[in-house]
Every structure is written in C-alpha cells, then in structure tokens.
Amino acid sequence: QVQLVESGGGSVQTGESLRLSCAFTSSRYCMAWFRQAPGKEREWVAAISGVGGDKYYAVSVKGRFTISRYVDKDKMDLQMNGLLPDDTAMYYCAAARGTNCYPTEAQYDSWGQGTQVTVSS
C-alpha cells in the first residue's frame, strides 16, 4: 500500500500562483497529478518519470504548470503559475507501476486524498 499526501492547495485570484506538494511513503517510477472539478470527469494534469527527465503536460496547463520530483525525499511538486478559474478543482497525486508514465496509458492505481485549488476571477 502506497500512501500519498497532497498539500499546498488554497484559494487564489486569477493570475496568481500555487505550489502543490505530494509526499509518498515509497517511490514509484511514474508519478502524476490529476484533477477533478465538480460535475466534470477526472483529468490528468502532468506526469513525470522516476529519473525526472520525462515530463508530460496536458494542453490546458502546458506553459503554466511545472512538475518536478525529488526521489531521495519521496516528494513531488506541481508549480502552478498564471492560474485561471478553469483550474479550480481537487488535485490528486498518483503513482503507477511500470516505466510507461503517460497518464492515458499507465495504470495509476495509488491516489492521495486530494488538495483543493480554487481560483476566483
């Protein structure tokens, strides 16, 4: 059982920034951030490989968000700049087995409880 805990969420205004963090009890090669807004399906935001060299971003956040990880600290971050109201959602960190980390192909089977991000206009 892999445990993940998100932190760093909050309420901000359009254009402001937040940094989310995910701490986990054991490392996985593939880590990712997902989000889900009320009334919408869960969507992937960003993913990163164990070595940190491979990063993937959803079109909606590319250029604004940056994913990073520190494997020796069992920690992963998501820097979110230029936040928009559409970014409002519960954000979850997740871990997957294997070496293919692309969110639509990998099986992310470990999830945190989520941290809320609210962006007002």
Side-chain angles (χ1 to χ4, degrees):
Q1 183 73 34
V2 178
Q3 294 182 330
L4 307 100
V5 180
E6 303 93 338
S7 62
S11 297
V12 298
Q13 295 181 325
T14 297
E16 295 184 338
S17 300
L18 284 173
R19 178 182 286 269
L20 306 183
S21 294
C22 174
F24 37 92
T25 57
S26 62
S27 64
R28 290 280 190 89
Y29 186 79
C30 300
M31 301 294 296
W33 288 95
F34 290 76
R35 68 185 183 187
Q36 186 170 27
K40 296 184 178 181
E41 297 295 321
R42 179 174 293 180
E43 62 177 349
W44 71 274
V45 177
I48 188 168
S49 67
V51 296
D54 297 326
K55 299 179 180 180
Y56 308 94
Y57 296 97
V59 174
S60 60
V61 306
K62 193 170 186 177
R64 298 187 297 120
F65 291 9
T66 302
I67 189 171
S68 61
R69 69 180 295 172
Y70 313 90
V71 294
D72 58 336
K73 298 180 180 179
D74 292 337
K75 181 172 175 285
M76 176 180 67
D77 290 349
L78 183 69
Q79 177 66 43
M80 305 185 295
N81 297 329
L83 284 163
L84 303 170
D86 283 349
D87 295 319
T88 296
M90 184 72 74
Y91 284 71
Y92 302 88
C93 64
R97 300 183 181 92
T99 57
N100 180 6
C101 303
Y102 196 74
T104 60
E105 299 174 357
Q107 293 188 1
Y108 284 89
D109 56 359
S110 297
W111 301 85
Q113 293 296 307
T115 185
Q116 179 67 42
V117 172
T118 302
V119 185
S120 60
S121 59

